[in-house]
Amino acid sequence: MRLRQKLANTTALFFLILTCAVLLSCGQKEPPPIEIGRNFYYWESTLESTLGDALKNAGEFKKLDDYSEHNLMHVFGKDRHFVWLRADFEIPPYYRNAALAMVIPHLRFADQVYCNNVMIRQDGSFPPNERSTLFMAHFFNFPQNVLKQEGKNTIFIKVFVQGDAGISSHITIQPPQFSYPKYEKINFINARIYMLLFGIMFFTFILYLILWANLRSFKEYLVFAFLNLSTALLNTYFFGTELPVYTTDMISHLTFAKISFCIPGYVAVYLTTLFASYFYDAKHPFPVKIVQQAILLIQVIPTIFATSYSFLIKVSPFMMSLVGIQVTIGIYGLVKHILIKKYRKRSILLLIGLTPFFIGITIDAIVRAYDNTWAYPYFFTFGWQSSIVIFIILLANRFGKMYKNNEKLSSHLREEVESRTIDLKEANNALSVLNERLEKDKHRSDMDLEMASLVQRKFLPKPNIRFRGWEIAVCYAPRSKVSGDFYDYYSFNDTLNGITLFDVSGHGLSASLVTMLSKNIISRLFQTGFRRKEHVDKILTKINNMILYEKGDIDNYMTGILCSFDDSEAPSKCKVELGNAGHPYPLKYSLIDNEVFELKGNDGKEHYGAIGMRGIKVSFARSNFVMSTGDILLLYTDGLTEATNQKQEQFGLKTIKKIIKENHAKSADELLGLIIEQLELFTEYKEFDDDLTIIIAKRKNPSEFVNDAEHEDVEIYEEQFEELEEVPDEPEQKED
């Protein structure tokens, strides 16, 4: 019984609620509206035409059979036109003696409306101060004294047409209590809703600009901030008629279109592709960046300097093709990075974020293909706003993870610091012991290096020695305490028989040890060859074989110059034979010719190879020439010509040749001083990057020679050559 009673009570309550709902829904239904959207006729006129002109030319009006959203553009094109539209209607009995209002969902560009030859209102402005009604619907109240309650009522509309112009085919006339809500609904969907979106985008711009200001390493925040700003500005074009800056003629329609639609649109597309690259943490190739920036400039600059709205309309197809290129680049980059494992996760998140935008574009295409008579809102804009919201969430989530990681690190920082401090103390103790050991080793090494430097300098002859018929000056400047450069003189009493200059590869102690090993070998083999009147290139070959034999597996090799002098026949003309083993070409100044020449070898053979390079076939150059009184011979290592300045420019030979030519009358010491002075000025007195050795030998008149009491001759005695070691046979060489 209780269960049955409960079921009865529940059933009664259900029917009571259902009855109330039915009664409440049985209010007065809205009568059908008067529809005139498909009854229009048109006649093209001029700006100056009046209603009287339209009435006079009533027979010229043609039926407007195009009911699409942009029907006036289809009829007249995108250029500027002035058109009169006419439609007739009768008031049905249920609307007679009632106030009526007409709602036009969309009508662009500007218009004047007349009912029964009485002007009702004008929306927008005609040239010269043209101004569009943009996306707002049109509402016109018809006074009762203007309407004919019985018979035909005539509506004339003068329309300024340009661009995507059209008049809706869904125009209705109803009493204001029915028509005004429709008018407000259309305006909210087509225009006012964008005010809300503008606020969201502008707030997001401020938020992410502040975030970027505090987190400069997150460049995507800066790009995203300005992407929101450009999107916010783009939204203003849809509700421009609600802005006083537009409706009070503070700026022209042309300027408003530039700053609220064209330029923000181009910038938004560019920033979207840029944001994508930052989002999946990959950079576009430099050529792609240049192309994108060039496209943006091509779009923005003509837009800024456009002098008419008609120009913007005419170039819009070209501008949209450039937008298509920007979008294609962005899509290509997205697909490319989805295929790369490193970027796949973020690329998929980016694709998810863009999905609402792509869905909006698809809905726009489907809706307008299905019904092109209604000015539907642009769903892609709502899709893009949804994408922006998704990116806000994604970036906020990324920031939250970073914050959590930092918080986690901070919570464990004290333990980590304490642990590291203990490790550091232990390491410092060990380092102190090691430093003491290193200091001792360094001191011992410095002592050894200093001793090696002293020994090496003892091996070298005095830098400035006078011989009969010669004035010699030497600059010897090691890069460190020891050098890979070495030189020597060979003489008998006061007669100069030869000069050598060699440059061992590398620097430091290993190179200096090779110099001390090689100096004795070169001295013995040169003096032996000189006595036997062997050519210098043959002597160099023997030197190469002996050094290869003596140095074993040491990697260092060397280049060098070997000069042999003979003035026994005619002291005024000293014969010189110069051998070159891969060394920089010496310079000779000829007093007769007043020119400086590079001595590159005149034996007619091919020259290649250096001394001490195992497995490399060699062929050393030989030059034969004469040194007369006043002639100058300059030998140098590559530390001279390859010295660089702050711009990494090399000193080269040009300055050296100029100094010798212009100062040939000066002494060898003076010439050397001028060259060193110019070198220091060129390098701005910085340390040399290589060992430096320069030898200047100037030929003097032998009869003017005065023996220097302090000069210690380096003499060659017969007994020195009686027990010379046998030079090993030339090892088997391989061609390089």
Side-chain angles (χ1 to χ4, degrees), residues 438-622:
L438 288 175
E439 284 291 333
K440 294 178 181 178
D441 291 343
K442 182 178 181 300
H443 179 70
R444 188 180 301 111
S445 176
D446 289 343
M447 293 294 293
D448 292 342
L449 192 61
E450 189 68 33
M451 182 60 68
S453 176
L454 292 173
V455 171
Q456 186 183 36
R457 288 181 180 273
K458 289 293 184 181
F459 265 79
L460 298 176
K462 292 182 178 180
N464 297 316
I465 299 179
R466 297 186 63 190
F467 298 98
R468 182 175 57 83
W470 292 100
E471 187 178 79
I472 297 176
V474 177
C475 169
Y476 176 73
R479 179 172 177 265
S480 55
K481 290 183 179 293
V482 291
S483 172
D485 292 356
F486 67 98
Y487 65 96
D488 207 350
Y489 311 125
Y490 310 106
S491 63
F492 181 74
N493 292 330
D494 58 4
T495 300
L496 179 63
N497 294 327
I499 297 177
T500 58
L501 173 60
F502 285 85
D503 182 3
V504 178
S505 63
H507 307 284
L509 192 57
S510 62
S512 71
L513 292 175
V514 175
T515 66
M516 289 184 277
L517 169 69
S518 304
K519 183 178 181 298
N520 187 43
I521 295 173
I522 295 169
S523 176
R524 289 188 287 111
L525 292 179
F526 172 77
Q527 294 178 79
T528 301
F530 183 81
R531 288 182 64 253
R532 296 174 181 175
K533 297 186 178 180
E534 293 177 347
H535 290 302
V536 289
D537 54 340
K538 184 177 180 181
I539 298 174
L540 284 172
T541 302
K542 289 183 177 182
I543 292 171
N544 180 50
N545 297 337
M546 180 62 77
I547 288 177
L548 283 171
Y549 176 77
E550 292 290 343
K551 77 184 183 75
D553 294 332
I554 298 175
D555 292 333
N556 297 79
Y557 64 92
M558 60 185 176
T559 64
I561 296 293
L562 194 152
C563 293
S564 175
F565 303 100
D566 181 10
D567 61 356
S568 59
E569 294 181 6
S572 62
K573 292 186 178 181
C574 179
K575 294 180 180 179
V576 183
E577 191 175 75
L578 184 147
N580 190 332
H583 200 77
Y585 298 126
L587 300 179
K588 179 203 170 184
Y589 170 75
S590 173
L591 180 61
I592 296 175
D593 300 323
N594 193 28
E595 285 294 338
V596 179
F597 305 98
E598 293 183 52
L599 301 172
K600 298 184 178 181
N602 54 15
D603 55 359
K605 296 189 302 182
E606 187 177 358
H607 309 135
Y608 44 83
I611 293 173
M613 301 181 72
R614 192 172 300 279
I616 303 298
K617 191 174 182 180
V618 295
S619 175
F620 300 128
R622 185 176 80 247

Side-chain angles (χ1 to χ4, degrees), residues 399-413:
F399 178 79
K401 288 181 178 179
M402 181 193 69
Y403 181 79
K404 286 182 179 179
N405 290 335
N406 290 340
E407 192 176 43
K408 184 178 179 181
L409 289 174
S410 298
S411 63
H412 296 289
L413 185 59

